[in-house]
């Protein structure tokens, strides 16, 4: 199975000047755990995850004051729609993260998460277990 089969095509893009509260509100409304940050001044694409927001709040920082640019991961590993789910899972495990931005021709076309991969793998594993019984 390929990344294109698992990825969410709902790609929330935000700017670096958004507050963390604005980002969290947009992520919540779209039911996504990550936003692609478009920041041409800082080299292009980054990612902000729910974990980044949680860490900031846990440090006592105000989500109404903190800006996305201060919490964006810019050293991003990108996937392509043609990657296998095994390749995506390996990249996530190796890098210690839970989301991959999916690029096609340099543009974000999706985001694949650990949850997306599990959702695809779980039915296949159940089918294998049922046929082995």
């Amino acid at each position: 199975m390929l990344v294109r089969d698992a990825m969410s095509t709902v790609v929330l893009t935000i700017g670096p000047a958004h507050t963390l509260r604005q980002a969290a509100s947009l992520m919540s409304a779209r039911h996504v755990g990550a936003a692609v940050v478009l920041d041409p001044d800082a080299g292009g694409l980054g990612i902000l995850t729910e974990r980044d927001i949680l860490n900031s709040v846990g440090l006592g920082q105000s989500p109404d004051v903190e800006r996305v640019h201060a919490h964006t991961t810019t050293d991003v590993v990108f996937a392509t729609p043609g990657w296998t789910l095994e390749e995506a899972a390996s990249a996530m495990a190796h890098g210690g993260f839970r989301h991959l931005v999916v690029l096609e021709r340099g543009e974000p076309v999706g985001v694949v998460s650990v949850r997306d991969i599990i959702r695809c793998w779980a039915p296949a594993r159940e089918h294998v277990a049922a046929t082995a019984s």
Side-chain angles (χ1 to χ4, degrees), residues 43-108:
L45 297 176
I47 190 168
L48 178 79
T49 68
E50 57 199 359
R51 177 75 42 127
D52 298 322
I53 297 168
L54 179 68
N55 287 340
S56 174
V57 171
L59 290 171
Q61 298 172 334
S62 171
D64 294 313
V65 174
E66 289 297 307
R67 300 293 171 173
V68 165
H69 69 84
H71 302 278
T72 298
T73 299
T74 55
D75 185 21
V76 180
V77 174
F78 298 103
T80 68
W83 276 22
T84 65
L85 293 186
E86 288 81 7
E87 288 172 308
S90 177
M92 290 176 185
H94 180 73
F97 44 81
R98 299 179 300 153
H99 297 86
L100 284 171
V101 177
V102 182
L103 294 182
E104 192 166 47
R105 291 184 283 283
E107 296 295 322

